[in-house]
Amino acid sequence: MLVNTVKEKLAQGGAVFGCFLRYAEPSFAEFVALQGWDFVIFDGEHGTLEPRDVENLARAVELRDTTPIARVPTNQAHDILRFLDTGIHGVHVPWVNTPEAAADAVRSVKYWPLGMRGLAGSRASDWGMSEPIGEYTQRANRETMVVVHIETSAAVDTIDDYVSTDGIDVLFIGPTDLSHSLGHAGDLGHPEVVAAMDQVANAVAGSDKVLGVFAGTADTAVRWLDKGARYLATTPDGFLQTGMRGYLDHVRDR
Ligand code: 3PY
Ligand code: MG
């Protein structure tokens, strides 16, 4: 398991930038990593990616010094384990709607004494060949990140208790699900959605957690940096769509 440079940069007070990817193509993942993103999040919640895909995608981005992370499909220990065993350096856990569920996520990600992640030879541990297994478990506990999605009104209502939960690195706002949960699906600028996101940002400020958020465009990311976010994620889909549509609109309208 390599050093988690995202965790390192965050510990130094820096901001990190990443991309969600939902395509099972290692060359595309490597192409994206070469743009210079700090991390890539392979999306096991939305789309079709399975742990087998993620293992090869992780290899591809590691080649380009980019930290591999995955969004797991559920907050179930066995789902989280199958993704972690591929060798990724952290998980995004979706739909963590109570502080107790956040503590469950930490227990699934960490080995003893912080949690009860299942232990066996896998790519994550170099199949037990590089170091004594007890050293690996403690190193994995240090290097592996827990990113918890705050994306329902129930989570926002109890945000102060998430902030004091040990073992969480990033509290990550999922604006789309949050807007849906508040009855304003897709309207990320609705005053109630903005107020809920600001409530999360205010609760995280001054705590030992990092504020993360999905920010599709660079302008949105800059606004969030100004509000204290230091873990920003987007997706290539929007950029591809804008670029390709722009090309076709330009050539077809002549
Ligand atoms: C959301 O907006 O709901 C997300 O999960 C973003 O990744
Ligand atoms: Mg979501």
Side-chain angles (χ1 to χ4, degrees):
M1 185 182 197
L2 304 174
V3 170
N4 185 339
T5 51
V6 164
K7 211 167 168 169
E8 244 175 25
K9 282 187 190 173
L10 290 174
Q12 288 160 7
V16 290
F17 304 93
C19 249
F20 280 90
L21 276 192
R22 62 175 107 211
Y23 307 109
E25 177 50 59
S27 291
F28 184 55
E30 194 179 353
F31 176 95
V32 169
L34 266 175
Q35 313 306 315
W37 299 98
D38 296 299
F39 60 98
V40 172
I41 310 149
F42 306 117
D43 198 346
E45 183 197 17
H46 294 289
T48 60
L49 292 188
E50 297 293 344
R52 179 195 292 260
D53 305 311
V54 169
E55 195 162 85
N56 287 323
L57 293 164
R59 286 189 179 101
V61 302
E62 280 174 6
L63 279 175
R64 303 301 181 173
D65 297 325
T66 300
T67 298
I69 292 175
R71 172 155 65 178
V72 294
T74 71
N75 192 12
Q76 298 294 311
H78 58 272
D79 281 335
I80 293 175
L81 178 62
R82 294 189 72 231
F83 279 83
L84 278 178
D85 274 357
T86 67
I88 52 171
H89 297 188
V91 287
H92 276 233
V93 186
W95 286 83
V96 179
N97 298 332
T98 64
E100 294 75 28
D104 287 344
V106 173
R107 275 192 291 277
S108 301
V109 170
K110 304 290 180 175
Y111 293 108
W112 181 89
L114 305 177
M116 280 307 292
R117 173 175 165 187
L119 179 62
S122 65
R123 180 169 184 271
S125 63
D126 291 349
W127 292 274
M129 291 186 290
S130 299
E131 63 192 324
I133 204 77
E135 282 176 26
Y136 156 72
T137 56
Q138 298 318 301
R139 201 152 56 81
N141 277 358
R142 287 193 303 276
E143 299 292 338
T144 308
M145 290 177 61
V146 182
V147 181
V148 155
H149 275 234
I150 303 296
E151 49 192 358
T152 59
S153 56
V156 174
D157 288 345
T158 52
I159 192 65
D160 290 332
D161 295 324
Y162 287 75
V163 166
S164 55
T165 302
D166 287 338
I168 298 171
D169 297 285
V170 179
L171 290 165
F172 186 89
I173 300 172
T176 306
D177 276 316
L178 183 58
S179 69
H180 190 202
S181 163
L182 291 166
H184 309 295
D187 186 357
L188 307 193
H190 190 284
E192 284 178 25
V193 179
V194 172
M197 294 196 287
D198 284 348
Q199 190 179 334
V200 176
N202 292 336
V204 177
S207 77
D208 65 346
K209 309 295 185 245
V210 171
L211 178 65
V213 63
F214 181 87
T217 66
D219 285 345
T220 311
V222 167
R223 277 202 297 280
W224 275 107
L225 286 167
D226 290 344
K227 289 187 186 192
R230 292 197 290 123
Y231 181 101
L232 291 299
T234 183
T235 164
D237 298 28
F239 301 119
L240 286 173
Q241 189 177 322
T242 312
M244 289 178 177
R245 284 218 179 133
Y247 181 105
L248 289 174
D249 289 347
H250 191 67
V251 293
R252 286 209 167 118
D253 290 350
R254 300 184 83 78

